[in-house]
Amino acid sequence: MAEQSGNTARSRAGQTGRNAAPGFGTDEPAAAARIAAIRERIDEIDRTLIGLWQERAELSQQVGATRMASGGTRLVLSREREILERFRQSLGADGTQLALLLLRAGRGPL
Amino acid sequence: MAEQSGNTARSRAGQTGRNAAPGFGTDEPAAAARIAAIRERIDEIDRTLIGLWQERAELSQQVGATRMASGGTRLVLSREREILERFRQSLGADGTQLALLLLRAGRGPL
């Protein structure tokens, strides 16, 4: 019975392209199960990242619109530098790339 | 009194570089106050983004380590394509760039 369940998991893990679910890249059932569990949390993180990304872009565009409507500047470079530095300190070179993407999204269409 | 408070806010908003706090890029007190409030939420989002980024990179590296320890593949390209597609559909071209950064961070040091 345990063997049968093991074979089933092994067969699932080894599948590529038959289901919508992606393969696990391993034939070992325990590893496949562990990977499936971790991926659930990764997928949850990704959904949150996407939602926060959209909210942040909208808020940042509101800041720019508020500033320009009051006769202020389109950008505040000291603020952009502060954000770049925060991400770089926390995440290194990836943080700089991420912050540049965030700042661009926050500026909205030029 | 209202005038005085307005002047104070105006003077704060117009400052650049005197405090650690960045300028607001506008001399209009109501606009500066609104920008300050929106920035608080943006800063909160950024802290969450950084935390999730770090958690995701760690989880993704665990997936890779689990797979390789079980004799599986280092990467699963179908899974990477799925993630790219999810971000692209939600966030457009920025989503593709973001997903490429996330995937690279998740692979860890080569």
Side-chain angles (χ1 to χ4, degrees):
Chain A
M1 192 58 173
E3 176 67 7
Q4 190 182 0
S5 132
N7 281 339
T8 305
R10 185 171 293 120
S11 145
R12 251 203 319 275
Q15 267 177 13
T16 49
R18 272 191 51 198
N19 291 339
F24 297 103
T26 176
D27 290 332
E28 214 276 295
R34 183 164 151 68
I35 288 169
I38 299 176
R39 280 187 182 171
E40 270 189 41
R41 173 60 184 151
I42 289 177
D43 290 344
E44 190 178 65
I45 289 175
D46 285 354
R47 283 190 294 271
T48 307
L49 288 175
I50 286 169
L52 289 175
W53 184 281
Q54 290 166 327
E55 183 187 348
R56 191 193 194 287
E58 202 173 306
L59 289 174
S60 186
Q61 289 169 31
Q62 280 177 25
V63 167
T66 302
R67 193 160 44 227
M68 289 175 74
S70 73
T73 59
R74 207 175 75 77
L75 302 175
V76 175
L77 293 182
S78 61
R79 166 75 174 165
E80 298 211 344
R81 271 196 304 271
E82 185 192 76
I83 290 169
L84 270 168
E85 190 55 16
R86 178 190 302 158
F87 278 87
R88 191 193 63 75
Q89 282 183 359
S90 302
L91 304 175
D94 279 352
T96 303
Q97 292 306 308
L98 173 58
L100 288 170
L101 279 178
L102 279 171
L103 292 173
R104 197 177 62 190
R107 289 186 200 124
L110 292 186
Chain B
M1 191 58 174
E3 175 66 8
Q4 190 181 359
S5 134
N7 280 339
T8 306
R10 186 170 294 119
S11 146
R12 250 204 318 278
Q15 266 178 13
T16 51
R18 272 191 50 196
N19 291 338
F24 298 103
T26 176
D27 291 333
E28 213 278 294
R34 183 163 152 68
I35 288 169
I38 300 176
R39 280 187 180 171
E40 271 189 40
R41 172 61 184 150
I42 289 177
D43 290 345
E44 190 178 66
I45 289 175
D46 285 354
R47 285 190 293 272
T48 307
L49 288 175
I50 286 169
L52 289 176
W53 184 281
Q54 290 167 326
E55 183 188 348
R56 192 194 193 285
E58 201 173 307
L59 289 174
S60 186
Q61 289 169 30
Q62 281 177 25
V63 167
T66 302
R67 194 160 46 225
M68 290 176 75
S70 73
T73 59
R74 206 175 75 78
L75 302 175
V76 174
L77 294 181
S78 61
R79 166 76 174 165
E80 298 211 345
R81 270 197 303 273
E82 185 192 76
I83 289 169
L84 271 168
E85 189 56 15
R86 179 190 302 158
F87 278 86
R88 191 193 63 74
Q89 281 183 359
S90 303
L91 304 175
D94 280 352
T96 302
Q97 293 305 308
L98 173 58
L100 287 170
L101 278 178
L102 279 171
L103 292 173
R104 195 176 64 189
R107 289 186 200 125
L110 292 187

